[in-house]
Amino acid sequence: MNSQASAPVGQWKVGLQFLLLSVAWGSSFLFMKVSLTGLSPVQLVVGRLFFGALALSLVMVFTKRKWIRELRIWAHLVVVALLLCVLPFLLYAWAEQYLSSGLASIYNAVTPIMTLLVAAAALPGERLNRWQTLGILTSALGVIVLSAPWRYLGDQGNPMSLPAQLACLGSAVCYGVAYVYLRRFIAHRGYDSTVLAAGQVSVAAVIMLLVLPFAGAQSIQLSPQIGLSILLLGAVGTGFAYIWNTNILLAWGAPIASMVTYLSPVIGVALGMIILAEPLHWNEPLGGLVVIIGIIATKLTAGISSPPPSGKVVADQRSNSRS
């Protein structure tokens, strides 16, 4: 066990962090929408990751934590940085050029389903039973209601809406893979949530700074609203939020950690309607509700007719549960 392993976080603290994370990530869709009025998607992601890495680095300094020294862990963090930060941030930023912030936040609720599917494919003993499969199919129906394919018959609707919604789904896939990868390869290494979050966000910031000269050369139009949005999006939504997210992941596991997306769409939709006067179509809350019903169904039936893991798998799961 690494010397930087943290003491178990109290359950009530984890619950509080769960709520704070819901607010931080729910409001992030509003902050992205505001920032895109003066920044390109690449510039937005660079700013978001820069302020996130800065906030986490300051936390590392003031709490006198040491950075990770194992090259193997840094190699894993490069993968996590791409899957949990760079790719989904870029996809959501691009998508919000054509979608409302509320709709983008609703699509984030698909993350737990993607996490379950990836876990079933990648982790021994995580195969889906028939009821979980039914729950996933229910959520898939909710995604169809969300995407409203009937709007694309004839000349109706925004022609870029469907590709943008597919980009949001791509972000959910990235998050699902990242949650399982983080749990499988890094969570049991003994590093606390602050060290892991600082590592992955800093790596992501470096990656985007390398990309910036090639894809972020557009002109910038800053305003107080844009400056405040990118600062909050980075320092809170990417910096502190990733500490909370990793704490929840280590304490409660990947499937429960991904459930933060149940609350964040409610916050995202409310902020979009109140602050940006975004319209809400009937299919969006209905589709989001169907998605969540499907997710809850997969959770309630998780232990039904599932073959018990054996041998080394049991030992690995017990080890992970103590991480």
Side-chain angles (χ1 to χ4, degrees), residues 87-135:
L87 293 177
F89 288 0
L90 284 172
L91 288 170
Y92 269 124
W94 179 83
E96 282 208 41
Q97 295 177 112
Y98 311 104
L99 300 178
S100 68
S101 63
L103 180 56
S105 68
I106 292 174
Y107 264 105
N108 203 38
V110 181
T111 298
I113 284 296
M114 296 302 178
T115 304
L116 283 172
L117 289 173
V118 174
L123 299 179
E126 294 289 338
R127 287 178 296 177
L128 301 172
N129 60 49
R130 68 180 67 179
W131 297 107
Q132 288 178 302
T133 302
L134 180 60

Side-chain angles (χ1 to χ4, degrees), residues 209-284:
L209 286 172
L210 294 175
V211 171
L212 183 61
F214 304 98
Q218 298 90 335
S219 61
I220 296 175
Q221 298 178 355
L222 286 179
S223 67
Q225 293 85 354
I226 293 174
L228 180 60
S229 293
I230 202 70
L231 177 61
L232 291 174
L233 183 62
V236 180
T238 309
F240 298 121
Y242 271 67
I243 297 178
W244 303 331
N245 178 60
T246 310
N247 265 338
I248 297 165
L249 179 67
L250 298 180
W252 289 352
I256 297 180
S258 66
M259 288 184 193
V260 71
T261 53
Y262 291 172
L263 296 179
S264 58
V266 177
I267 296 167
V269 169
L271 290 176
M273 294 177 65
I274 295 171
I275 297 178
L276 300 178
E278 293 179 342
L280 184 65
H281 302 287
W282 66 267
N283 62 291
E284 294 171 4

Side-chain angles (χ1 to χ4, degrees), residues 4 6 9 17 56 65 191-200 242-248 250:
Q4 295 190 53
S6 61
V9 180
Q17 291 174 356
L56 290 169
R65 284 175 164 85
Y191 291 100
D192 72 14
S193 57
T194 302
V195 174
L196 291 177
Q200 71 191 41
Y242 271 67
I243 297 178
W244 303 331
N245 178 60
T246 310
N247 265 338
I248 297 165
L250 298 180

